[in-house]
Amino acid sequence: MKPIRVALAGAGNCAWSFSQFVAQAQAEPDTRLPGLMCHTVGGYRLADVRVVAAFDVDEAKVGRSLAEAFTAPAIAATGFTALGTDRDAPVLPAPLLDGLAGPLGSVVTPAAAAREATPEEVAKALVEHDADVLVIALPTGASRAIRMFAEAALTAGTAVVNCTPEEIARDEELARRFTQARVPLLGDDLRSHLGATTLHTALIELLLSRGLELSRTYQLNVGGNTDFLNLADASRSATKFASKANALRAAGATDVEGVAGPTGFIGHLGDTKLCFASIRATSVLGSEVEIDIKLTVEDSPNAAGVIANAVRAAKTAADRGLAGRVDGPSPLLFKSPPRGLPESEARAAFLAFAS
Ligand SMILES: NC(=O)c1ccc[n+]([C@@H]2O[C@H](COP(=O)([O-])OP(=O)(O)OC[C@H]3O[C@@H](n4cnc5c(N)ncnc54)[C@H](O)[C@@H]3O)[C@@H](O)[C@H]2O)c1
């Protein structure tokens, strides 16, 4: 099988964990790796992925190799394994725009080259590196920078996986232009592999399947990586709250008092993320059911598990001549796809697409 050539917009924590997952698969192509939901998607193994380039603005990353960039101070995700084939892929400068607005500006220094980089150079680099898929893993709320990458990918004819909650796949006009250009567009907002949203919505679906009536629910999330630092700023986290609400609604939590979102930055947690969720429901004869859970995960590998499926789904869509929004795999992969589904239906739709 021809390799899937992936470019990363944002060489941050998710990108680092994803690149390690790819390296692990390349080293053991036929092993069933923990957390890898599908050994093949559209016939592609994870070992068939090559990370060919990344874009960033951090002076500690730009102009370096992928392997060097992931040693930058802003990286909190654990190094489990060294990069293999892709270690020397270049980290190219991208236009800064609003990438480091808010608290990130106090911990990341922009590279001089990022102040001069243009969207045209990004599109040109995607073509030169023959990228099949661009994974957009930029800070939440960096609307201008995220949109710039989507436009550059459209110009270059590169499929997009939007990991952020920015409305990209849900933007009807943008999706129409991707359809016209025959380029797949997958998003929005990655649903972590086994994260807060997945667990919360699975429990909600369980209660509803037993005929219980939900009354109140909340989901609080804290962590210590740059994603949580950025999300501590209310102007950056608004889209994340809206996206998590979309996921709860798709699971059937309508007409419920509910709050779900990132609720704090605790630096010493590093890449560890804690989720506290609570669900109240009414059962037989008006009896009350209360569920309170705490979930502890390492945030970035949790994203990598889903990106591993999303990049292969994007390339499979391109192979099958699908363009614009790709409904089959998206409800399982994203919190805010154009058309959301309950987890069980989303999983069935994904597996049908992947086979
Ligand atoms: N961790 C998860 O499980 C998870 C789940 C769902 C969604 N997400 C989303 O994925 C995105 C990435 O998360 P992360 O943890 O990797 O964040 P991160 O802060 O570790 O990485 C973001 C990277 O983007 C770079 N950047 C900033 N502006 C840029 C620009 N203009 N051009 C290119 N690069 C730029 C930063 O320097 C940094 O390297 C966030 O929007 C997050 O909300 C993450």
Side-chain angles (χ1 to χ4, degrees):
M1 208 115 192
K2 261 183 80 183
I4 304 176
R5 298 175 66 82
V6 172
L8 304 168
N13 287 295
C14 290
W16 168 221
S17 290
F18 169 67
S19 301
Q20 289 183 72
F21 203 18
V22 169
Q24 190 188 25
Q26 289 169 345
E28 308 171 60
D30 297 315
T31 305
R32 262 200 180 276
L33 300 175
L36 186 63
M37 181 177 150
C38 295
H39 188 63
T40 60
V41 174
Y44 292 102
R45 301 168 308 170
L46 185 56
D48 296 322
V49 171
R50 300 284 174 277
V51 180
V52 294
F55 299 91
D56 211 286
V57 294
D58 183 340
E59 70 168 7
K61 298 173 183 171
V62 170
R64 302 211 154 64
S65 69
L66 204 57
E68 287 166 345
F70 290 138
T71 63
I75 293 289
T78 305
F80 291 98
T81 186
L83 299 190
T85 316
D86 307 329
R87 57 172 296 109
D88 295 325
V91 180
L92 306 167
L96 178 58
L97 302 173
D98 51 356
L100 300 178
L104 285 180
S106 63
V107 293
V108 178
T109 306
R115 296 197 184 279
E116 287 152 23
T118 65
E120 293 73 25
E121 286 165 348
V122 173
K124 190 162 166 261
L126 288 172
V127 173
E128 282 172 359
H129 286 89
D130 199 12
D132 297 306
V133 182
L134 176 69
V135 175
I136 303 182
L138 258 60
T140 291
S143 304
R144 290 173 56 216
I146 292 164
R147 290 198 161 259
M148 180 278 299
F149 273 109
E151 292 285 350
L154 179 59
T155 305
T158 305
V160 165
V161 169
N162 176 29
C163 302
T164 80
E166 187 69 19
E167 280 191 26
I168 296 294
R170 285 166 295 156
D171 180 325
E172 289 191 10
E173 174 55 19
L174 190 58
R176 189 188 58 73
R177 292 169 55 219
F178 269 78
T179 306
Q180 270 179 349
R182 310 301 311 149
V183 181
L185 173 62
L186 276 69
D188 299 311
D189 197 13
L190 214 62
R191 180 189 275 263
S192 292
H193 199 51
L194 211 156
T197 300
T198 300
L199 184 60
H200 196 176
T201 54
L203 286 171
I204 284 172
E205 285 176 47
L206 174 67
L207 297 182
L208 293 176
S209 74
R210 299 279 162 158
L212 276 70
E213 281 180 16
L214 301 181
S215 49
R216 275 173 295 155
T217 189
Y218 67 76
Q219 181 202 114
L220 313 176
N221 298 282
V222 297
N225 57 24
T226 41
D227 190 23
F228 275 93
L229 176 66
N230 177 54
L231 292 168
D233 180 330
S235 70
R236 301 285 262 188
S237 63
T239 51
K240 187 64 96 178
F241 274 94
S243 180
K244 280 186 175 271
N246 289 340
L248 295 188
R249 263 194 302 279
T254 49
D255 300 325
V256 178
E257 266 184 72
V259 177
T263 37
F265 171 70
I266 301 176
H268 70 253
L269 286 178
D271 202 34
T272 301
K273 168 179 161 174
L274 303 181
C275 160
F276 303 90
S278 162
I279 308 173
R280 298 286 180 270
T282 305
S283 188
V284 180
L285 294 173
S287 58
E288 291 297 308
V289 173
E290 302 185 352
I291 300 179
D292 294 300
I293 51 169
K294 175 188 167 201
L295 172 72
T296 307
V297 292
E298 188 165 344
D299 202 20
S300 307
N302 218 3
V306 182
I307 302 173
N309 287 338
V311 295
R312 293 181 292 164
K315 179 65 165 76
T316 301
D319 292 350
R320 293 178 184 167
L322 303 173
R325 295 169 170 168
V326 186
D327 276 338
S330 296
L332 186 79
L333 302 171
F334 302 100
K335 296 189 194 86
S336 292
R339 194 174 60 91
L341 288 177
E343 168 84 10
S344 48
E345 290 173 45
R347 191 170 52 248
F350 181 85
L351 292 175
F353 179 89
S355 63

